[in-house]
Amino acid sequence: MRSLIDILDLTTDEIEELIKVAGDIIENPAKYSEKCRGKKLASLFFEPSTRTRLSFEAAMYELGGNVIGFSEANSSSAAKGESVADTIRTVGYYADIIAMRHPKEGAPYVASLNCDIPVINAGDGGHNHPTQTLADLLTISREKGRFDNLVVGFCGDLKFGRTVHSLVGALSRYNNIKFVFISPDELHMPEYILEEIEKKGISYTETTDLEGAMPELDILYMTRVQRERFFNEADYIRLKDSYILTDAKLVNAKADLSIMHPLPRVNEISRSVDKDPRACYFKQVQNGKFIRMALILKLLEV
Ligand code: CP
């Protein structure tokens, strides 16, 4: 039974196919409204979520299926000390597919080894978030019409930013991509990811200067400094407002820049930027549901 733990579990052809199906769902929703009749999605969120959890659940309902699950670890027997393996083995008897978020890196992989139904990683600690990447790729496809020949800037918490790690992996498979990593020194991209990029011969730069990087970017992917990943509150307070995107900081940006953010945001994009036609972050939210519908169909083979 096939799971999605890492975005690289999907080939580029499979991603193109998911994007095509998501586009068809957007155009012809009624065609898909009974596809998952009689199927159950287990939505297991051991860590908070708004977009990912609710878009998975909306996706399954719009496919005619049902949803069971929990939205916090404390309302499951994890609070009594049950292991991920035992929880998943149990859920595997009740559901047809699992979407799972967990604060520990690798937990969805462990889950996939302990049941006979597909497991979707809905975010594991500071590691990966492959379905956010699918939402991001659908958005890039609709905004830019290509994945090749792009300069992509990632700004903010690049150390713990699982959405960044997954999207960098996905875009690394396309031609003539350049990455610009914009972060405070303490939150720079993990070395293991930089080594992977270097091995593939992909061009990248690291900087602390958002405005300096702005003019060359085709995509600016802003991220939140994540309080929940810090061991020390003082470090979070010191770094949390390192980058705040304002209209003034966009004066030298390309006219067709795409401003992206996986959300939730705190302060890192000024509310006034929401009115900029280049702001795409709420399109990512909308696209998330459609691409997750396509993914559920693929993994359930319906
Ligand atoms: N982008 C994202 O994962 O948002 P949520 O934490 O609200 O699910």
Side-chain angles (χ1 to χ4, degrees):
M1 190 55 70
R2 190 154 180 210
S3 290
L4 177 66
I5 305 301
D6 187 304
I7 192 66
L8 301 181
D9 294 341
L10 295 168
T11 65
T12 53
D13 283 349
E14 286 176 314
I15 288 173
E16 298 281 348
E17 184 59 29
L18 287 173
I19 287 171
K20 205 167 133 203
V21 172
D24 195 46
I25 292 170
I26 292 168
E27 296 301 320
N28 306 293
K31 197 170 125 187
Y32 295 88
S33 64
E34 297 292 323
K35 291 273 186 194
C36 286
R37 182 67 58 207
K39 303 282 187 191
K40 287 189 288 286
L41 166 78
S43 167
L44 310 182
F45 280 71
F46 296 82
E47 195 185 64
S49 167
T50 296
R51 276 147 290 272
T52 311
R53 184 172 69 84
L54 296 181
S55 65
F56 263 119
E57 296 183 3
M60 194 51 159
Y61 285 125
E62 289 188 26
L63 291 168
N66 286 299
V67 179
I68 58 173
F70 49 81
S71 58
E72 53 179 326
N74 278 344
S75 64
S76 78
S77 286
K80 303 174 201 161
E82 185 168 58
S83 66
V84 164
D86 284 0
T87 299
I88 296 300
R89 186 167 171 185
T90 301
V91 173
Y93 297 129
Y94 304 148
D96 300 286
I97 187 166
I98 293 171
M100 172 185 173
R101 171 171 290 185
H102 200 284
K104 286 209 175 113
E105 289 82 358
Y109 175 65
V110 171
S112 72
L113 301 178
N114 283 280
C115 64
D116 296 325
I117 63 175
V119 175
I120 302 171
N121 178 3
D124 61 330
H127 188 215
N128 278 320
H129 194 346
T131 66
Q132 178 63 49
T133 300
L134 291 174
D136 298 341
L137 292 172
L138 176 56
T139 306
I140 293 170
S141 169
R142 292 173 79 84
E143 293 299 309
K144 296 276 181 246
R146 67 184 195 278
F147 296 127
D148 297 322
N149 307 314
L150 291 170
V151 180
V152 187
F154 292 92
C155 179
D157 176 3
L158 309 188
K159 179 178 179 184
F160 300 113
R162 59 192 176 197
T163 62
V164 170
H165 304 163
S166 288
L167 185 55
V168 164
L171 290 174
S172 294
R173 295 190 289 189
Y174 296 95
N175 295 319
N176 194 26
I177 291 287
K178 180 182 174 188
F179 296 126
V180 182
F181 298 125
I182 308 150
S183 72
D185 290 336
E186 293 97 323
L187 296 177
H188 80 99
M189 282 292 281
E191 289 302 331
Y192 78 92
I193 296 180
L194 294 179
E195 282 168 20
E196 284 297 315
I197 294 169
E198 280 166 27
K199 260 192 255 166
K200 290 175 185 154
I202 293 167
S203 165
Y204 75 88
T205 56
E206 293 186 281
T207 179
T208 56
D209 180 8
L210 172 58
E211 283 162 279
M214 193 69 79
E216 71 168 322
L217 303 180
D218 297 303
I219 294 170
L220 171 60
Y221 195 95
M222 295 295 294
T223 62
R224 175 176 64 99
V225 174
Q226 303 170 86
R227 176 182 235 138
E228 64 272 30
R229 308 280 175 233
F230 280 79
F231 293 110
N232 179 334
E233 179 75 2
D235 285 344
Y236 168 71
I237 300 279
R238 185 168 50 80
L239 294 168
K240 71 185 175 69
D241 291 329
S242 299
Y243 298 98
I244 300 176
L245 185 66
T246 58
D247 296 313
K249 289 184 181 153
L250 286 162
V251 288
N252 291 321
K254 287 185 179 175
D256 65 346
L257 174 73
S258 295
I259 305 165
M260 301 180 69
H261 190 311
L263 304 183
R265 81 173 137 188
V266 184
N267 285 330
E268 58 279 3
I269 301 182
S270 160
R271 295 291 185 279
S272 66
V273 175
D274 297 0
K275 294 195 273 303
D276 190 308
R278 295 170 291 185
C280 295
Y281 25 96
F282 284 100
K283 292 180 183 171
Q284 290 166 264
V285 172
Q286 290 177 288
N287 288 333
K289 182 183 72 177
F290 299 118
I291 201 77
R292 289 181 175 107
M293 289 172 79
L295 179 66
I296 290 169
L297 293 173
K298 177 175 179 63
L299 295 182
L300 285 178
E301 299 176 4
V302 292

